[in-house]
Structure formats: structure tokens, C-alpha cells
Amino acid sequence: MDIIKNLRTIEWLKSEILSNIAQIYQLLSKGEDYIKEDIEDLIANMILLSYLLGKRLGIGYEDISSNLIDKIKLNILEGHKIEKWYGDLNELLVFLKSNRN
């Protein structure tokens, strides 16, 4: 029973993530100025769902966070375009490290 419940939960989480992505595309296609809160809500929800999906797949929250930080560092070292153009990755790394303490 637990295996079936876990599989259903995994499938539900995956569909929720995809649904949120579709909603972001819909909002952005409208090009309206007052969608900031909706976009923030959808992005936060996708991050939440991603952590929960990881847990259902046997990956701990700390492992996900640590891997995220490692990926940010790697992209900074490799000169990712977003970092070169805007410095977003360094800013995100500082933010995540400050929130870990």
C-alpha cells in the first residue's frame, strides 16, 4: 500500500510542477504589469514541490540545498551567461549561504 501511495504522490507532485510551469507561461504571455505576485507564488510553489518530490524520491532537503549551491558555484566558475550579464548567480549564492546560518 505504501509503495502505491508513494508512487501516486510522486506522479501528483510531477503534474503539479508541470501545471505551475504552464501557468507561468500563460501569465507571461499576457504581458500584464500586475502579475508579479502571481509569478512569485508560482515560483515559490515550484521550489516547494521540487523539495517535496526530492523527499519522495529519497533525497534529503539538505542534500538538495547542498547540490543547488554546488551547481551555482560550478556555473559561476564556468562563466554562465546569466552570471556574466547580471551577476545573479553570485547574488543567489550569497543569499542562500546567509539563510543557511
Side-chain angles (χ1 to χ4, degrees):
M1 260 331 232
D2 279 348
I3 294 172
I4 292 172
K5 182 179 177 182
N6 197 47
L7 287 174
R8 284 185 178 161
T9 302
I10 289 169
E11 291 305 312
W12 175 75
L13 289 166
K14 289 174 6 185
S15 70
E16 286 294 306
I17 291 169
L18 288 173
S19 176
N20 278 257
I21 292 169
Q23 289 176 43
I24 286 177
Y25 272 92
Q26 288 175 339
L27 285 172
L28 292 175
S29 71
K30 292 178 183 177
E32 297 169 0
D33 293 335
Y34 56 87
I35 61 172
K36 183 179 183 276
E37 284 183 20
D38 294 333
I39 297 289
E40 287 173 357
D41 185 55
L42 288 166
I43 291 172
N45 201 40
M46 285 190 302
I47 293 168
L48 170 64
L49 292 166
S50 295
Y51 271 90
L52 295 175
L53 177 60
K55 180 161 175 46
R56 291 292 100 220
L57 295 172
I59 305 167
Y61 302 136
E62 183 61 36
D63 293 333
I64 294 170
S65 290
S66 178
N67 195 303
L68 175 60
I69 288 172
D70 290 345
K71 287 199 175 296
I72 293 169
K73 289 176 182 177
L74 179 63
N75 278 288
I76 290 169
L77 290 173
E78 291 179 347
H80 193 283
K81 286 182 181 179
I82 293 292
E83 179 60 25
K84 285 181 181 178
W85 295 342
Y86 306 104
D88 290 352
L89 294 174
N90 266 304
E91 183 181 342
L92 178 58
L93 184 60
V94 169
F95 172 78
L96 291 173
K97 284 184 172 184
S98 70
N99 283 338
R100 287 185 107 188
N101 300 328

